[in-house]
Amino acid sequence: MIIKKDILLKKCILDVEPTLRSQSRSCQVASLRLLILFLTRTHLLSERERERAVYNNTHKKEQLTQHNLKKDHRIKKCILLSDKMVAGGGMKISGGGAINEWKDIPMELLLRIVSLVDDRTVIVTSGVCSGWRDAVCWGLTRLSLSWSKKNMNNLVLSLAPKFSKLQVLVLRQDNSQLQDNAVQAIANFCPDLQDLDLSKSFKLTDCSLYALAHGCPNLTKLNISGCSAFSDTALSYLSDYCRKVQTLNLCGCVKAASDSALKAIGYNCTRLQYLNLGWCENVGDIGVMSLAYGCPDLKVLDLCGCVLITDASVVALANNCLRLQSLGLYYCQNITDRAIYALAHTRVKNKQSVWESVRNRYEEEGLKSLNISQCTALTPPAVQALCDSCPALHTCPGRHSLIISGCLNLTSVHCACAFQAHRATGNVQAH
């Protein structure tokens, strides 16, 4: 086998097998050679980088040198095979055609091969020839540039006009690089974009949100966590144009996430299912209640650090968002037993009994995750009542979905697993 990762190669070949089966025999051979060459160059490069780290740590110079010599031999052999395909006049295909250059490989197969490699390699392949460029530009729908540590803004400016069919774009950053002109380019050239991650883009201003509002109306998922310069006016404007949004991450967007912005989101984005408002200190009851009334399909809501909210917010969520599965209330110290009882009673409302609810709707309904850490006003009876009505909430080791850190008075609360374990132990002792 040409490359070290035999299992990987077999998996990749099986992955493109349906496409190969529709091609002639000669085209199959040439395409497989291309696939092997492509994977060899890609994966051996990353293997060499790992080996350098091994060498630096273990100093096994002699073994490493011999291993690289064998690997270089495999690379040369693979390149020779591909060169023969091109220099030897090409490979005949039934029907009169021939594969003379890389661009003659069927576009569908090229896209399958490109789907097997990392995003950095995808960008490199788009410059191999015009055929590869067209295949990548027209067929690529998902791209991540998070690996770019210095030139992300320039990359976006150069790639956005080419990759106009993108539906998913990840631009998450460790060091803020993106500027408004890059987001404007995305809005201008990627109208089909559905999923965009701009997290930690501290340099972006409201101009970016205005551009997205006009250029990307099909957004269903948007992550602007940590984008602290956005205003609530721009966020409200965006919600008026991007009404298909189902997932929205506003964690740390202190200026943007205000009650007025949440009222606009509740009115416009009725399909919203996931919302992260962590550490948005300006969010109050008016905003959360607007969400509860306008977004009945909410499944996940993170309100950690939203110190202004009270029981009124949680009661509204309990009464209107019946599909709510995860709720974060960390450090919401104004929350009392009233809110917890509202969650518990909604769970069993219109049911004949708690146990009928457990039996019929164990997976479909009810909270599966709740964070009430540092909510020091809560008492054990209220939290235990919620635990009893929501069997998916666990306090047992390894399954902590009810998080009560910092609430020393709640240590007596236990999930159903604890009672089952106690009962099983009692039965064993009885026998």
Side-chain angles (χ1 to χ4, degrees):
M1 186 58 66
I2 295 178
I3 65 175
K4 183 179 179 181
K5 295 186 178 179
D6 297 350
I7 297 177
L8 174 64
L9 179 59
K10 289 178 182 178
K11 181 180 182 298
C12 293
I13 291 176
L14 288 174
D15 195 33
V16 299
E17 185 179 5
T19 305
L20 289 171
R21 196 179 295 123
S22 63
Q23 306 295 332
S24 65
R25 175 63 181 170
S26 57
C27 184
Q28 290 177 16
V29 174
S31 298
L32 282 174
R33 285 181 177 178
L34 170 61
L35 174 59
I36 293 171
L37 173 63
F38 202 98
L39 291 174
T40 301
R41 285 176 167 171
T42 302
H43 289 284
L44 288 186
L45 179 62
S46 60
E47 285 178 8
R48 280 179 167 179
E49 292 174 350
R50 286 196 295 272
E51 285 165 0
R52 287 195 191 98
V54 172
Y55 170 71
N56 292 333
N57 292 331
T58 64
H59 304 289
K60 295 181 179 179
K61 183 175 182 180
E62 184 176 353
Q63 295 180 11
L64 184 61
T65 302
Q66 292 176 355
H67 190 59
N68 279 339
L69 284 174
K70 293 179 181 179
K71 196 165 291 185
D72 289 340
H73 175 71
R74 289 197 292 266
I75 294 175
K76 290 178 181 178
K77 183 178 179 180
C78 190
I79 293 174
L80 285 173
L81 284 173
S82 61
D83 289 343
K84 286 181 180 179
M85 183 181 74
V86 178
M91 302 195 71
K92 298 296 181 182
I93 305 177
S94 57
I99 297 179
N100 295 309
E101 300 178 11
W102 296 126
K103 67 181 179 64
D104 296 327
I105 300 297
M107 181 179 291
E108 185 179 357
L109 181 58
L110 280 175
L111 292 177
R112 298 295 289 150
I113 294 173
V114 167
S115 69
L116 299 172
V117 298
D118 60 85
D119 293 293
R120 190 184 312 209
T121 306
V122 168
I123 295 174
V124 174
T125 59
S126 66
V128 170
C129 62
S130 59
W132 283 48
R133 181 194 63 212
D134 294 341
V136 172
C137 292
W138 282 96
L140 190 68
T141 59
R142 306 174 64 92
L143 182 65
S144 173
L145 298 180
S146 295
W147 49 266
S148 178
K149 304 302 180 184
K150 294 182 179 180
N151 298 312
M152 184 183 290
N153 201 75
N154 291 332
L155 267 177
V156 172
L157 290 174
S158 62
L159 295 177
K162 300 175 184 177
F163 298 160
S164 57
K165 301 298 181 180
L166 282 177
Q167 296 179 12
V168 179
L169 181 58
V170 179
L171 301 176
R172 190 181 302 111
Q173 307 153 75
D174 293 327
N175 299 314
S176 183
Q177 304 175 55
L178 281 185
Q179 300 177 19
D180 289 328
N181 59 347
V183 178
Q184 289 168 350
I186 294 169
N188 290 335
F189 295 103
C190 304
D192 298 329
L193 200 63
Q194 298 176 17
D195 184 344
L196 179 61
D197 187 343
L198 297 173
S199 52
K200 297 184 179 180
S201 299
F202 306 122
K203 296 180 180 179
L204 297 183
T205 69
D206 288 350
C207 295
S208 292
L209 292 187
Y210 290 132
L212 291 174
H214 291 288
C216 302
N218 296 316
L219 279 176
T220 60
K221 186 175 181 180
L222 178 63
N223 186 347
I224 54 174
S225 59
C227 298
S228 53
F230 291 151
S231 70
D232 56 351
T233 302
L235 183 59
S236 300
Y237 188 87
L238 178 73
S239 71
D240 194 25
Y241 287 84
C242 300
R243 301 193 173 205
K244 299 179 182 179
V245 171
Q246 298 179 17
T247 299
L248 183 59
N249 192 337
L250 301 175
C251 181
C253 297
V254 180
K255 295 180 181 178
S258 66
D259 284 345
S260 61
L262 295 184
K263 287 177 66 175
I265 292 172
Y267 181 79
N268 295 316
C269 305
T270 56
R271 304 180 191 179
L272 195 63
Q273 297 181 12
Y274 172 98
L275 178 60
N276 189 338
L277 293 171
W279 306 106
C280 294
E281 299 174 354
N282 295 324
V283 170
D285 288 334
I286 294 176
V288 178
M289 292 170 68
S290 298
L291 289 172
Y293 298 138
C295 306
D297 293 334
L298 265 180
K299 293 181 178 180
V300 179
L301 178 60
D302 191 343
L303 296 171
C304 293
C306 296
V307 295
L308 298 180
I309 67 169
T310 68
D311 292 338
S313 292
V314 180
V315 171
L317 291 169
N319 292 334
N320 296 279
C321 302
L322 303 182
R323 297 182 181 180
L324 194 64
Q325 297 179 0
S326 178
L327 180 61
L329 297 173
Y330 173 76
Y331 214 77
C332 297
Q333 296 186 328
N334 293 323
I335 301 298
T336 70
D337 288 351
R338 177 182 169 228
I340 302 303
Y341 279 123
L343 291 171
H345 291 162
T346 301
R347 165 69 174 157
V348 296
K349 187 170 59 177
N350 298 326
K351 303 288 184 179
Q352 294 180 2
S353 69
V354 172
W355 300 113
E356 179 182 349
S357 173
V358 171
R359 184 171 62 251
N360 295 337
R361 297 289 184 178
Y362 182 86
E363 293 295 334
E364 290 80 4
E365 293 181 359
L367 282 173
K368 297 180 180 180
S369 176
L370 176 65
N371 187 345
I372 50 175
S373 299
Q374 302 297 332
C375 295
T376 53
L378 301 179
T379 64
V383 179
Q384 187 63 62
L386 179 60
C387 230
D388 293 340
S389 63
C390 298
L393 291 178
H394 294 279
T395 59
C396 50
R399 302 181 67 183
H400 278 96
S401 56
L402 176 59
I403 306 173
I404 54 177
S405 302
C407 300
L408 299 179
N409 60 324
L410 299 180
T411 54
S412 62
V413 175
H414 296 288
C415 60
C417 297
F419 294 112
Q420 292 172 3
H422 179 71
R423 183 181 302 172
T425 303
N427 292 337
V428 171
Q429 291 176 352
H431 290 292

